Amino acid sequence: MKMIDIPPVWLLLCLAAAWAQSQYYPVLSLKHPVTDLLGGLLIGGGVVLIAMAVVEFRKWKTTIIPHQEASALMTSGIFAKSRNPIYLADALILTGFILRWDAVLCLPLVPIFVWWIEKRFILDEERRLRSKFGVAFHRYTEKTRRWI
């Protein structure tokens, strides 16, 4: 069976690894009320970012599915601050759960996840947007960062 190649699947795989590490291999601990609070804030912030991005996708009536062609170049709302707010949200959510679950050994998953998402999804999406929207996309990349 072929795996569904979308970012939420990769996020779920990383979350499963972090949960498993916290349950079956709890060797180091950062467990503290502050890390619980920080983890909760990161998870909540990620959920808010996703909601803000979904509002923009609906407003612009374009696809949210990676590997599909966008019908609009979204540059307003949360997309005025980050070109990839949902991927940023995924990284925040992953970091938050790692902290909440005290899965310290899985902290390196965060930069690996960011690298993989950029390599597997973002670069291809940007190539398609550059091809379709040309100068408008170039101007957008000059004023809006890829992540934050």
Side-chain angles (χ1 to χ4, degrees):
M1 183 173 97
K2 185 177 177 182
M3 187 175 97
I4 299 170
D5 189 21
I6 56 175
V9 171
W10 294 105
L11 175 60
L12 288 173
L13 288 171
C14 289
L15 287 171
W19 180 84
Q21 187 263 295
S22 74
Q23 297 300 304
Y24 303 112
Y25 199 64
V27 288
L28 295 173
S29 180
L30 293 177
K31 198 67 172 164
H32 189 275
V34 173
T35 56
D36 281 345
L37 175 63
L38 181 58
L41 290 172
L42 290 169
I43 294 165
V47 170
V48 168
L49 278 178
I50 290 171
M52 293 170 71
V54 168
V55 166
E56 289 299 307
F57 275 101
R58 288 182 180 222
K59 175 181 154 186
W60 289 85
K61 295 180 175 83
T62 190
T63 184
I64 197 169
I65 309 297
H67 303 305
Q68 290 185 357
E69 186 175 331
S71 60
L73 178 61
M74 298 184 301
T75 59
S76 63
I78 193 62
F79 287 90
K81 304 292 181 200
S82 171
R83 297 195 318 252
N84 297 286
I86 295 177
Y87 299 143
L88 174 60
D90 290 345
L92 293 175
I93 290 168
L94 175 59
T95 306
F97 274 110
I98 288 171
L99 292 176
R100 297 278 304 183
W101 292 333
D102 200 28
V104 179
L105 294 179
C106 285
L107 281 171
L109 275 179
V110 177
I112 292 168
F113 176 80
V114 166
W115 170 80
W116 181 249
I117 291 299
E118 190 166 302
K119 179 181 183 328
R120 182 73 189 101
F121 298 97
I122 293 174
L123 296 177
D124 189 47
E125 288 173 12
E126 288 184 349
R127 181 190 53 74
R128 286 194 311 274
L129 291 169
R130 189 174 295 107
S131 175
K132 183 167 185 168
F133 298 106
V135 174
F137 181 73
H138 178 72
R139 280 195 302 264
Y140 177 54
T141 63
E142 286 183 331
K143 65 181 182 175
T144 307
R145 297 178 66 126
R146 182 179 281 159
W147 289 94
I148 51 173

